[in-house]
Amino acid sequence: MQRPRFVVPGRPVADHRPGTAHSYKRIMWGAEMLKLEKLTRRFGDNIAVNAANLEIPDGQMVGIIGKSGAGKSTLLRLLNRLIDPSDGQILFGDADIAALKGNDLRKWRSDCAMIFQQFNLVGRLDVVTNVLTGRLHDLPTWRAMAQIFTPRERAFAIQALDRLGMAHTATQRAETLSGGQQQRVAIARALAQEPRILLADEPIASLDPMNAKIVMDALRDINRNDGITVICNLHTLDTARQYCDRIIGMLDGRIVFDGTPDLLTTDMAREIYGADAGDFNEAATSTALSATKPARAVRVSA
Amino acid sequence: MADTNMAGGGVSAPRDAVALYETHRAALRASKRVWNILALAAFAVCLGLSVWISQFYPERLASGVPRIFEYFGTIIPDLEWSNLFAGRTEEGRAVPGSLTYWYTDFWTYAALIWETILMAITATLIGAAVAFVLSFPAASNLAPNSWVYILSRRFLELCRGIPEILLALVFVFMIGIGPLAGVIAIAIHTAGALGKLFSEVNENASARPIDGITAVGGTWMQKMVYAVVPQVAPNFFSYAMLRFEINVRASSIIGFVGAGGIGQELNRVISFYSDDRVLAVLILVVMTVTVIDLISERIRIGYIGRENFS
Amino acid sequence: MSIAALSGVTDADIAAARQSQPDAFTTPAGMVRKWTPLAIAVVYVFASMWYFDFARLLDASDRVLSLLYNFVVWRDMDTWAYRQIYVGISQTLAMAFLGTFLGTLGALGVGFLAARNVMPFAAVRQIVRRILDVLRGIDQLVWGLVFVRAVGLGPLAGVLAIFVSDLGTLSKLYAEAIENIDRKQVEGVRSTGAGPIAVIRYGFLPQVLPVFISQSLYFLESNTRSATILGIVGAGGIGMIIIERFRASLYDQVAFVVLNVLVLIFAIDWLSKRIRLWLIGAKHDG
Ligand SMILES: Nc1ncnc2c1ncn2[C@@H]1O[C@H](COP(=O)(O)OP(=O)(O)OP(=O)(O)O)[C@@H](O)[C@H]1O
Ligand SMILES: [Mg+2]
């Protein structure tokens, strides 16, 4: 099969006129489909992602669940091309993402924002500069090197921060913030990229329930209002059920479940989390669910 | 001590195991004793050879040591308390026994010390700039590919491998006597020494921010500027300041081969005169080095403190 | 909220953001503050390049080329007086070894005098420390020059220079090691009624000896390097041969000697690493 040549469309200058923002994305991309074909990644003998096939249409909110070591992070890192696939294809529309190099690859990464469990902010830079790093792909070299940003870019960053309720910390150093605050700054950075897709690798795994809810609500808001596809690794089943349109279950590198939350039965969940482990019994499932009941109540009232 | 411990542990074990252990232990001790004796013998041979080769014989020492004290006697100034602070006479002559007389050439020395410090600053700045640029490709976790990694490492090793005074000798030959040769020699050595330290700091930088900048689509340079530099800057700064202290010492002696600074004068007064001028220059050099150390330490601690507690 | 896009940010938005977070925007004063240190450094470097006359470097290019040529093209290699070269190298080694050995012996005594937990008289300690500061404050090369004047050209001056400067540095390091020891072991020995010498022998030495030995081995390494340099001021060893032949324009021989010295330094580094490993290993099964 011949690989389609990928041309990352340059952002047309005309589109920076105010008011055309809306049409820009439609013209640029249309409603593209993200497609994985037999995507595989090996680490030595260990197959972290094993022949994954997926089709994710534009604008979905997808949750990926699975036990530790199932390959969730590896899958997301493959999508952002932080690591290279050993085999298989990643297609976005006609574009062969797995074959991108150099400038095209960076362009793809800027369109495909990533949020990390450990936030991965630059602790010693202030918050607004951290958010502005989301603009790096668009900056002339000299401005990027000298860390000079236009007032428009700065205002944009402040708006992104404001949307997550973090504008008041703009001049603080990122390392002085709490974990939940840092994650919100990281989401603001992702927004500053004007991404098409937002990948989140266990964004709430190191947060308390309150902050976890803020972060998940923000992700859903971005998905609903901006039409950005969100693909989110989650540890807890109930969060995935609660927020996602679609749940993908991974086990030992394979995709073993793909469907809407209501299709995910307890039996199915037990299989994904490893029924043979023995300690994942019905009781454990039910406690896991009951423990999250209050959170669900909060959401209903909100 | 180990003896009693082990014996105590062996009580519950079967007899033959204890015996086996004891014989094994005895053999071990014996072989260790042999090694110790061999090592001692090797040491004695080295010592003997060294004494012979460097002609470090008691009679030479006996004739040499008094001369050392004699020499130190000659470089001590004849200060007289009564006119220690006496100025110059009507004819502009300094009074023998006064400080003014001892430090007749003070302003010459002061100018040379000033030059020495300027040499150290310039060499540190240039060397640190080169080290800064090369420390990123020379860090194993940051190098974009193995070629630039190997090349930049080798280059830095070359820079710090050759002693700066040998480099200065070569540069004096090439561009003539004067501080320029010294500045270049010290700058090259600084680039090598700081480059190694900087790249080690880089190798300890956290990978998380770097991943973060990679994920937003940053280029290699952007990753360095945004994710690495903020992490390593304080360490770079204090290493550079420490190197500056070392370079002040280096530039105060590099004049021995004609490469400028107070060293040239020091060499001259030691080689041509055996009088109080030697001590005069030596005191100035030691004072300069000490004062620079103190100032630099202040700046370092002040900067690090500000970085960590702001 | 509408779809966020940079191009959708209006001037009114910018003004509003500036209003709410004025410090997040750059001001002329902020730019000046940010760039001044770099600007000063750049201006200083260029000014000092002018002051030190860097342009001379450009005029020297033909000399550089001829020197490089003479470094790599070796001629008349059978007339090179190899004996003298290798005597020089062994002299360098001997100087480094003897100087370090004497420095270690001296520091063993002086280090205890300068340690707070051994020397009860603060005055003695302070005097010893100030003398050590002076010994360290004067560069080894200066000591070499001084001793050449005092005892004449040759390795004796070099040994003395290494001894004196090592005494200054090693004593300080030893004193620090002694001050950092575990007090309980010392008290154990003292509680048996041992005298001060016995306390040092059984309470202190076992704890500090490994540190002392590895420090001295490091100094042996660095002294091998500096013993090369000492010859430049006439204090014996291979440095004297380097500078003699350099002055006689025998650049190919200089290159040969320097290569030999680099090999020697490499060998000493390797050997001292092995010895250190051996000693530390011996400590473990002892
Ligand atoms: N850089 C790497 N080198 C070697 N093996 C790796 C690497 N990254 C991941 N792996 C392996 O790949 C497998 C999948 O890891 P991955 O991090 O994707 O799991 P995960 O589902 O994200 O787990 P968790 O929930 O603990 O984050 C694991 O067996 C892991 O050991
Ligand atoms: Mg993971």
Side-chain angles (χ1 to χ4, degrees):
Chain A
M1 181 193 127
Q2 203 190 348
R3 293 191 157 195
R5 219 178 115 245
F6 183 78
V7 185
V8 174
R11 287 161 197 261
V13 179
D15 272 338
H16 281 282
R17 275 173 299 151
T20 54
H22 201 92
S23 52
Y24 147 80
K25 287 196 171 169
R26 296 290 166 266
I27 294 168
M28 294 285 299
W29 296 95
E32 305 286 14
M33 173 96 79
L34 180 67
K35 207 185 288 181
L36 313 187
E37 288 176 3
K38 296 208 173 104
L39 188 64
T40 303
R41 169 70 207 208
R42 295 182 203 92
F43 292 108
D45 290 339
N46 181 4
I47 306 180
V49 172
N50 195 350
N53 290 310
L54 263 187
E55 287 193 4
I56 299 176
D58 203 24
Q60 249 185 4
M61 178 132 180
V62 182
I64 303 178
I65 58 168
K67 64 178 176 182
S68 185
K72 309 182 294 290
S73 301
T74 308
L75 185 66
L76 284 205
R77 292 170 85 84
L78 281 169
L79 289 182
N80 187 269
R81 286 285 314 276
L82 280 173
I83 50 178
D84 292 328
S86 313
D87 241 321
Q89 286 197 317
I90 309 169
L91 300 172
F92 190 70
D94 292 339
D96 180 358
I97 301 302
L100 296 181
K101 279 208 284 288
N103 212 19
D104 292 345
L105 173 59
R106 289 193 293 274
K107 205 93 191 158
W108 164 250
R109 283 180 179 150
S110 77
D111 278 321
C112 176
M114 181 105 176
I115 290 167
F116 300 84
Q117 179 181 343
Q118 295 298 335
F119 332 124
N120 291 18
L121 297 175
V122 186
R124 302 180 62 86
L125 287 181
D126 59 9
V127 165
V128 71
T129 311
N130 266 294
V131 176
L132 284 165
T133 58
R135 302 296 320 163
L136 283 177
H137 60 94
D138 246 10
L139 242 47
T141 311
W142 72 272
R143 274 219 281 136
M145 292 298 111
Q147 305 195 1
I148 294 174
F149 298 93
T150 60
R152 180 182 299 278
E153 284 160 347
R154 285 178 183 274
F156 186 49
I158 302 277
Q159 283 184 351
L161 279 170
D162 197 28
R163 191 165 164 188
L164 288 134
M166 292 297 295
H168 61 285
T169 62
T171 54
Q172 242 170 292
R173 270 196 198 184
E175 66 193 359
T176 62
L177 301 180
S178 73
Q181 290 177 315
Q182 288 197 33
Q183 194 61 295
R184 281 141 78 187
V185 173
I187 296 175
R189 171 170 76 181
L191 283 179
Q193 287 175 242
E194 299 181 67
R196 287 294 321 218
I197 300 174
L198 204 155
L199 309 172
D201 187 5
E202 296 185 14
I204 55 171
S206 21
L207 306 184
D208 63 62
M210 190 59 215
N211 275 302
K213 180 175 148 42
I214 295 174
V215 165
M216 285 312 295
D217 285 350
L219 289 181
R220 183 172 48 197
D221 178 62
I222 289 164
N223 172 258
R224 297 280 187 270
N225 287 322
D226 302 29
I228 294 175
T229 310
V230 174
I231 305 175
C232 190
N233 281 350
L234 291 168
H235 237 97
T236 47
L237 202 67
D238 64 302
T239 320
R241 280 190 198 279
Q242 186 182 338
Y243 285 95
C244 300
D245 309 329
R246 174 178 173 190
I247 292 178
I248 289 167
M250 286 187 78
L251 176 63
D252 295 339
R254 289 187 177 278
I255 293 178
V256 294
F257 175 85
D258 183 356
T260 49
D262 47 308
L263 290 178
L264 185 66
T265 58
T266 314
D267 281 347
M268 196 65 228
R270 194 186 303 138
E271 190 175 319
I272 292 170
Y273 283 103
D276 44 62
D279 53 357
F280 189 90
N281 51 28
E282 200 60 41
T285 317
S286 57
T287 49
L289 290 176
S290 67
T292 52
K293 284 240 168 70
R296 191 167 296 190
V298 168
R299 174 177 122 54
V300 169
S301 66
Chain B
M1 223 184 280
D3 218 337
T4 51
N5 280 345
M6 296 316 287
V11 166
S12 61
R15 271 273 134 214
D16 52 338
V18 175
L20 201 68
Y21 170 77
E22 284 302 334
T23 49
H24 181 66
R25 193 176 139 75
L28 213 70
R29 284 177 65 109
S31 85
K32 245 187 73 189
R33 199 173 305 130
V34 169
W35 275 109
N36 283 340
I37 289 169
L38 274 181
L40 219 60
F43 186 80
V45 169
C46 283
L47 197 62
L49 273 176
S50 301
V51 169
W52 177 64
I53 291 172
S54 56
Q55 308 277 297
F56 198 78
Y57 298 142
E59 71 265 19
R60 278 183 54 125
L61 210 58
S63 65
V65 170
R67 266 188 288 152
I68 298 172
F69 287 108
E70 219 170 275
Y71 179 77
F72 282 118
T74 61
I75 64 172
I76 290 175
D78 298 321
L79 293 179
E80 285 163 28
W81 186 246
S82 53
N83 41 18
L84 190 60
F85 299 105
R88 289 174 183 277
T89 57
E90 309 282 280
E91 309 95 82
R93 284 176 185 281
V95 185
S98 70
L99 279 178
T100 330
Y101 183 79
W102 186 23
Y103 273 103
T104 311
D105 296 328
F106 178 79
W107 291 109
T108 319
Y109 304 153
L112 283 170
I113 284 191
W114 177 239
E115 184 181 83
T116 306
I117 295 173
L118 286 187
M119 282 167 67
I121 298 177
T122 306
T124 309
L125 281 175
I126 295 176
V130 174
F132 178 82
V133 170
L134 289 182
S135 70
F136 299 102
S140 56
N141 55 336
L142 305 178
N145 59 56
S146 57
W147 273 108
V148 293
Y149 174 69
I150 291 169
L151 275 180
S152 47
R153 286 237 137 184
R154 291 290 159 281
F155 178 77
L156 292 176
E157 275 163 18
L158 194 72
C159 284
R160 68 172 179 275
I162 305 167
E164 44 211 345
I165 201 142
L166 273 186
L167 276 178
L169 195 64
V170 173
F171 280 110
V172 165
F173 170 81
M174 290 195 299
I175 54 185
I177 286 182
L180 179 59
V183 170
I184 296 173
I186 298 174
I188 289 176
H189 196 81
T190 302
L194 277 183
K196 176 171 187 258
L197 292 171
F198 284 5
S199 62
E200 277 166 9
V201 174
N202 282 340
E203 282 170 357
N204 288 326
S206 161
R208 289 218 177 98
I210 305 174
D211 263 3
I213 302 295
T214 311
V216 301
T219 60
W220 184 81
M221 290 263 262
Q222 289 169 346
K223 281 187 246 179
M224 300 304 118
V225 171
Y226 285 86
V228 183
V229 172
Q231 292 189 58
V232 297
N235 276 332
F236 278 21
F237 179 80
S238 53
Y239 276 135
M241 287 307 283
L242 284 174
R243 192 70 216 178
F244 170 64
E245 294 168 27
I246 296 172
N247 283 349
V248 172
R249 287 159 210 266
S251 62
S252 72
I253 54 152
I254 206 149
F256 284 14
V257 294
I262 189 76
Q264 228 157 321
E265 183 68 14
L266 194 56
N267 192 16
R268 197 174 67 86
V269 293
I270 296 179
S271 303
F272 296 121
Y273 318 103
S274 286
D275 60 12
D276 52 3
R277 272 174 280 192
V278 174
L279 198 61
V281 181
L282 268 183
I283 289 176
L284 278 182
V285 170
V286 172
M287 267 170 43
T288 309
V289 168
T290 314
V291 169
I292 293 279
D293 280 6
L294 286 177
I295 296 174
S296 152
E297 192 180 318
R298 266 289 167 84
I299 296 177
R300 251 186 309 128
I301 290 172
Y303 176 78
I304 298 295
R306 191 154 49 80
E307 276 300 299
N308 286 341
F309 301 112
S310 69
Chain C
M1 190 170 238
S2 67
I3 293 176
L6 179 68
S7 47
V9 178
T10 61
D11 290 345
D13 292 337
I14 297 174
R18 202 190 276 277
Q19 179 83 39
S20 73
Q21 293 297 325
D23 294 340
F25 288 81
T26 42
T27 58
M31 292 296 264
V32 168
R33 207 163 337 118
K34 183 174 165 192
W35 294 103
T36 304
L38 186 65
I40 289 177
V42 169
V43 168
Y44 171 84
V45 166
F46 278 100
S48 71
M49 279 178 147
W50 168 79
Y51 174 77
F52 289 126
D53 206 4
F54 262 70
R56 263 168 45 207
L57 204 53
L58 303 177
D59 305 337
S61 58
D62 46 334
R63 276 164 168 253
V64 175
L65 287 182
S66 82
L67 194 67
L68 286 181
Y69 177 78
N70 283 310
F71 271 145
V72 286
V73 179
W74 294 3
R75 273 170 302 222
D76 308 325
M77 286 184 64
D78 43 337
T79 64
W80 277 11
Y82 294 99
R83 210 187 112 75
Q84 203 194 0
I85 292 176
Y86 289 108
V87 167
I89 286 184
S90 56
Q91 239 175 38
T92 302
L93 262 180
M95 281 158 57
F97 187 83
L98 212 54
T100 316
F101 177 68
L102 294 176
T104 305
L105 280 189
L108 271 177
V110 180
F112 281 100
L113 289 185
R116 192 173 309 132
N117 50 353
V118 179
M119 170 48 69
F121 309 111
V124 177
R125 202 170 65 224
Q126 286 304 325
I127 291 171
V128 170
R129 291 206 156 202
R130 290 299 85 74
I131 293 175
L132 292 180
D133 284 346
V134 171
L135 296 189
R136 263 180 297 124
I138 296 174
D139 197 273
Q140 204 174 55
L141 211 55
V142 178
W143 283 119
L145 202 57
V146 167
F147 284 123
V148 165
R149 282 295 281 179
V151 300
L153 291 173
L156 183 60
V159 172
L160 289 173
I162 295 175
F163 163 67
V164 169
S165 67
D166 273 18
L167 186 65
T169 322
L170 273 178
S171 299
K172 180 168 181 262
L173 291 174
Y174 281 14
E176 278 166 10
I178 294 166
E179 286 176 357
N180 287 334
I181 61 155
D182 178 13
R183 290 217 52 83
K184 289 194 287 291
Q185 299 186 29
V186 179
E187 272 153 19
V189 176
R190 196 167 281 151
S191 69
T192 64
I197 299 294
V199 168
I200 286 180
R201 166 69 184 80
Y202 293 101
F204 285 86
L205 271 189
Q207 289 192 58
V208 291
L209 214 54
V211 183
F212 286 7
I213 290 175
S214 82
Q215 290 285 9
S216 288
L217 280 169
Y218 277 122
F219 271 71
L220 182 64
E221 282 174 48
S222 91
N223 284 335
T224 315
R225 290 161 211 268
S226 48
T228 318
I229 303 305
L230 276 169
I232 288 177
V233 297
I238 193 68
M240 274 173 88
I241 292 164
I242 292 179
I243 196 151
E244 261 167 31
R245 301 200 177 176
F246 197 90
R247 298 237 154 95
S249 307
L250 303 168
Y251 303 118
D252 43 359
Q253 300 191 23
V254 171
F256 174 75
V257 174
V258 169
L259 278 182
N260 273 285
V261 170
L262 289 181
V263 170
L264 171 80
I265 287 174
F266 180 78
I268 291 287
D269 283 5
W270 179 82
L271 197 69
S272 115
K273 199 193 272 168
R274 292 306 300 259
I275 295 177
R276 215 170 312 138
L277 270 180
W278 181 73
L279 282 174
I280 291 169
K283 283 273 132 19
H284 274 302
D285 57 42

